[in-house]
Amino acid sequence: MVLKVFFPSCCASAESGILIGRWISEQNSAVILAVVHFPFIPVQVKQYLSEVQRVTKVSVSVLGSWSNSKQEKEESLSEFLEDLGTIFSHEPWIQISKEGDSKFWSCSTLQKNSNNPKEEEIILVYYDQRKVMLSHLHPPLDTAASTDHKAEDASKLSAIFDTVAKSKILFMTDRYDDGPIKLTHWQSDGVEASIIVELMKQASVPACMLLTFLLSLVSGVCRSRVLKFWPLSFLWSKLSTCEQLGHRLQHLQVISSNKKAQNQTQLMRKANIFVSLLIDVALGMLLMSWLYRKNRIGHLADTLIPVADHVAEELQDLLQWLMGAPAGLKMNRALDQVLGRFFLYHIHLWISYIHLMSPFIEMILWYVGLSACLGLTVALCILSDIIALLTFHIYCFYVYGARLYCLKIYGLSSLWRLFRGKKWNVLRQRVDSCSYDLDQLRLLVVIVQGLIHLLVDLIDSLPLYSVTLRLCRSYRLAAGVKFRVLEQQDGKPLRLLMQINPLSYGSVVQTYRLPTYSCYPKDSWTSLCKKLFLGELIYPWKHKGEKQD
């Protein structure tokens, strides 16, 4: 039977002592965690290991002995190390010895209580203890395609990763401690610390308490009965700005909560939300600084009125063309005049409203620019709401045209049932030629708003912290491991180097993507084209009783 010994590469130059770690009997494997140096008292070692086992819930024990002949002067030390197996009584007792500067080590096992001791083949696997402890092994995402063999390998690897990760308290003891036990592990030279990080940790506690108190007040106001009355409740549920503010309020409550994350997924979710908020606010501040430089808000306000006049002129020309003989088609003149003047009157009202608001547009844009300090997504949502309000007349045209078009479709369907088997009525072609321009205008507004909300959803849902972690510290997000065969020598155990395979970027986004919330309907292109063809209304918000794709 093959015995696998996972040895930390940081202990290769450790002084002689005993090996402590975990024995995994199901895999016939030993995971070495640290080396205890001489001198030590066995009773104190057992008490220390029992305390570690009580805290970590990992069965840590003495697995064998480690001999570094480069630093040995007594010949009887090897016999003494063998005798330690009687004191600590572990089966099998693993003996690893390093001879000088040689990279080929001797590894053997002792089984004193076995009647028929068999010589086992030993595989020595070196691993980076720091990377394995900080990494998180992800299960295969495609569980349907994964076989039972892959699932079994993943469970074996997770046992090794969990053993090292849960033994974090063991690595808090360094060689500068005054305790009776001296250990060698990846952090035995001391815990890395930063004054700035420690100050931030100390300042984060009162800051989170203050933020939690303020958020509780804001949440109480949002849940009050005042916002449940008709005008405010309608605006809160339909405007994308209110939806985004509520979404960010939930994010702030998550990151300011004093409840500790239970697992790696919750921890990564908190980190992704925190980084997303930081980047969102930073981009918003950049946008705000750009807007308030060189009087750009005044230039935008001066440009808005000519653009609105140009759009009104184009719509008026389009309506005048439809009121005549578009594409040489003979239309119902009385109906064309009624509908054309009705739409022209809407354009007149809209352009009058824009000119009436022109003195206040710069002030409105100035206050809207201040909202960018809440984040770029809030500013984009306000821009989307402004576009929806400025193009409300186009939506009205679309509603009137779609309703008339839908009525004519129903009329044609009834005529088709009545005159089945005969030639088509010429009225069918008249209907197809009069409503597509309004549909194109409405479709253009839908596309512009869709692109804005796509950008908002991208900023809200993209796990920026996880992607950055995958880019800078790829070993933190592990998808598996690979083994590289090292140089071999006859009579010595097989040596392997365990390396971590990082998770792919697509799997990182798929695993840690944040949920998004939107007040806008998420229809597919097939559904949009079907609604345009049948004359059904495309609502600018989620409509009750309507199924979403």
Side-chain angles (χ1 to χ4, degrees):
M1 194 172 182
V2 178
L3 172 64
K4 298 178 287 294
V5 179
F6 292 86
F7 193 88
S9 55
C10 57
C11 297
S13 58
E15 299 177 0
S16 299
I18 56 176
L19 302 172
I20 60 174
R22 178 191 176 189
W23 172 257
I24 306 176
S25 58
E26 297 83 3
Q27 306 177 22
N28 199 35
S29 303
V31 182
I32 308 301
L33 298 175
V35 176
V36 180
H37 307 304
F38 298 112
F40 59 83
I41 302 176
V43 176
Q44 293 179 343
V45 174
K46 290 182 178 180
Q47 292 177 353
Y48 176 74
L49 294 181
S50 62
E51 182 68 19
V52 172
Q53 185 173 350
R54 183 185 64 84
V55 175
T56 61
K57 308 299 181 183
V58 178
S59 57
V60 181
S61 60
V62 178
L63 301 180
S65 61
W66 160 257
S67 174
N68 192 346
S69 61
K70 181 179 178 180
Q71 302 181 13
E72 295 301 330
K73 297 181 180 179
E74 299 182 3
E75 298 178 356
S76 60
L77 182 61
S78 58
E79 298 180 357
F80 173 71
L81 293 176
E82 291 181 5
D83 295 338
L84 288 176
T86 308
I87 300 176
F88 293 101
S89 66
H90 183 272
E91 290 288 339
W93 181 258
I94 303 173
Q95 291 181 323
I96 303 177
S97 60
K98 179 183 177 183
E99 301 171 358
D101 294 332
S102 175
K103 54 187 176 181
F104 302 104
W105 301 351
S106 299
C107 188
S108 60
T109 58
L110 291 178
Q111 296 180 354
K112 296 184 179 180
N113 298 329
S114 178
N115 296 327
N116 297 319
K118 297 181 180 179
E119 186 175 352
E120 294 182 317
E121 183 180 355
I122 300 175
I123 299 178
L124 198 58
V125 182
Y126 301 96
Y127 71 96
D128 192 325
Q129 196 172 56
R130 175 177 177 271
K131 291 184 178 181
V132 173
M133 192 200 73
L134 296 177
S135 64
H136 174 66
L137 185 63
H138 294 73
L141 295 178
D142 190 6
T143 56
S146 61
T147 60
D148 296 337
H149 182 66
K150 292 182 179 179
E152 184 180 357
D153 291 342
S155 63
K156 291 180 179 179
L157 287 176
S158 63
I160 298 171
F161 276 71
D162 291 343
T163 300
V164 181
K166 291 180 181 179
S167 304
K168 189 175 182 180
I169 188 175
L170 183 68
F171 306 136
M172 301 304 294
T173 304
D174 53 50
R175 65 179 183 177
Y176 301 104
D177 292 338
D178 297 331
I181 298 177
K182 301 296 182 181
L183 300 176
T184 293
H185 45 75
W186 76 272
Q187 209 167 229
S188 56
D189 289 336
V191 180
E192 297 180 359
S194 172
I195 298 177
I196 298 178
V197 173
E198 293 299 325
L199 291 177
M200 290 179 64
K201 288 181 180 179
Q202 296 295 328
S204 63
V205 176
C208 287
M209 293 178 61
L210 178 61
L211 184 60
T212 304
F213 175 73
L214 295 177
L215 290 176
S216 62
L217 292 179
V218 175
S219 301
V221 173
C222 295
R223 289 193 298 265
S224 63
R225 295 183 178 180
V226 179
L227 296 178
K228 295 182 180 180
F229 291 108
W230 175 74
L232 295 179
S233 62
F234 179 81
L235 292 176
W236 185 264
S237 61
K238 304 306 179 185
L239 292 180
S240 60
T241 305
C242 298
E243 287 287 334
Q244 181 64 20
L245 288 175
H247 184 42
R248 284 308 188 194
L249 181 62
Q250 293 179 1
H251 281 175
L252 289 173
Q253 290 175 343
V254 170
I255 62 176
S256 62
S257 176
N258 55 2
K259 186 177 180 181
K260 188 177 180 180
Q262 300 296 327
N263 49 38
Q264 177 72 11
T265 304
Q266 295 182 3
L267 179 63
M268 295 296 288
R269 182 172 181 266
K270 277 191 173 184
N272 287 324
I273 291 175
F274 180 72
V275 174
S276 175
L277 281 172
L278 281 183
I279 294 180
D280 188 19
V281 173
L283 293 176
M285 298 298 290
L286 289 177
L287 176 62
M288 188 172 65
S289 64
W290 180 81
L291 285 175
Y292 288 99
R293 288 180 181 176
K294 300 180 181 179
N295 195 23
R296 289 190 175 94
I297 292 182
H299 296 326
L300 289 175
D302 296 337
T303 308
L304 184 60
I305 301 300
V307 170
D309 292 335
H310 177 71
V311 173
E313 290 176 1
E314 293 293 333
L315 287 175
Q316 289 173 352
D317 294 340
L318 177 62
L319 290 174
Q320 293 292 342
W321 180 72
L322 291 174
M323 290 169 64
L329 298 175
K330 184 178 180 181
M331 309 294 290
N332 189 333
R333 183 169 180 79
L335 181 61
D336 288 346
Q337 292 296 321
V338 171
L339 293 178
R341 291 177 181 178
F342 180 70
F343 290 149
L344 287 174
Y345 180 67
H346 273 71
I347 295 176
H348 174 71
L349 288 178
W350 177 69
I351 211 65
S352 301
Y353 166 74
I354 294 296
H355 282 280
L356 183 64
M357 293 292 296
S358 58
F360 309 100
I361 288 179
E362 184 175 355
M363 183 178 62
I364 293 174
L365 291 178
W366 194 87
Y367 285 108
V368 168
L370 289 178
S371 66
C373 64
L374 300 176
L376 179 63
T377 54
V378 177
L380 290 176
C381 289
I382 293 178
L383 176 62
S384 175
D385 292 334
I386 291 176
I387 292 176
L389 293 175
L390 292 180
T391 59
F392 185 72
H393 62 296
I394 297 179
Y395 183 70
C396 292
F397 295 167
Y398 162 73
V399 171
Y400 304 148
R403 286 303 186 191
L404 291 174
Y405 177 67
C406 186
L407 289 175
K408 289 189 177 183
I409 287 292
Y410 284 135
L412 287 175
S413 62
S414 62
L415 287 176
W416 172 253
R417 288 191 298 267
L418 182 62
F419 301 102
R420 184 173 297 169
K422 296 184 179 181
K423 293 183 178 180
W424 286 359
N425 197 308
V426 185
L427 292 176
R428 183 176 179 85
Q429 297 181 356
R430 292 180 184 176
V431 175
D432 291 343
S433 62
C434 66
S435 63
Y436 285 138
D437 292 320
L438 294 176
D439 286 342
Q440 291 172 1
L441 290 175
R442 177 58 190 160
L443 188 60
L444 177 62
V445 176
V446 170
I447 291 175
V448 172
Q449 287 184 301
L451 292 176
I452 293 176
H453 287 282
L454 182 63
L455 180 59
V456 173
D457 289 342
L458 181 63
I459 297 176
D460 285 342
S461 64
L462 187 63
L464 298 173
Y465 175 78
S466 300
V467 174
T468 306
L469 195 64
R470 169 61 179 85
L471 181 64
C472 300
R473 303 284 179 89
S474 59
Y475 61 86
R476 294 287 298 273
L477 304 175
V481 297
K482 59 183 177 182
F483 296 95
R484 184 166 64 90
V485 180
L486 300 178
E487 187 179 353
Q488 303 301 317
Q489 188 180 40
D490 295 338
K492 300 296 182 180
L494 177 64
R495 301 188 310 134
L496 301 177
L497 177 63
M498 188 177 74
Q499 297 175 333
I500 296 177
N501 283 330
L503 203 64
S504 63
Y505 285 99
S507 300
V508 170
V509 175
Q510 183 179 355
T511 304
Y512 296 108
R513 184 176 181 181
L514 299 173
T516 57
Y517 307 91
S518 177
C519 63
Y520 289 86
K522 297 181 180 179
D523 293 314
S524 62
W525 285 105
T526 305
S527 178
L528 288 175
C529 295
K530 179 182 177 182
K531 290 180 179 180
L532 287 175
F533 181 75
L534 296 179
E536 298 179 3
L537 292 183
I538 301 176
Y539 292 94
W541 51 73
K542 292 179 181 178
H543 189 62
K544 292 183 178 180
E546 184 180 11
K547 295 182 179 180
Q548 302 296 327
D549 296 338

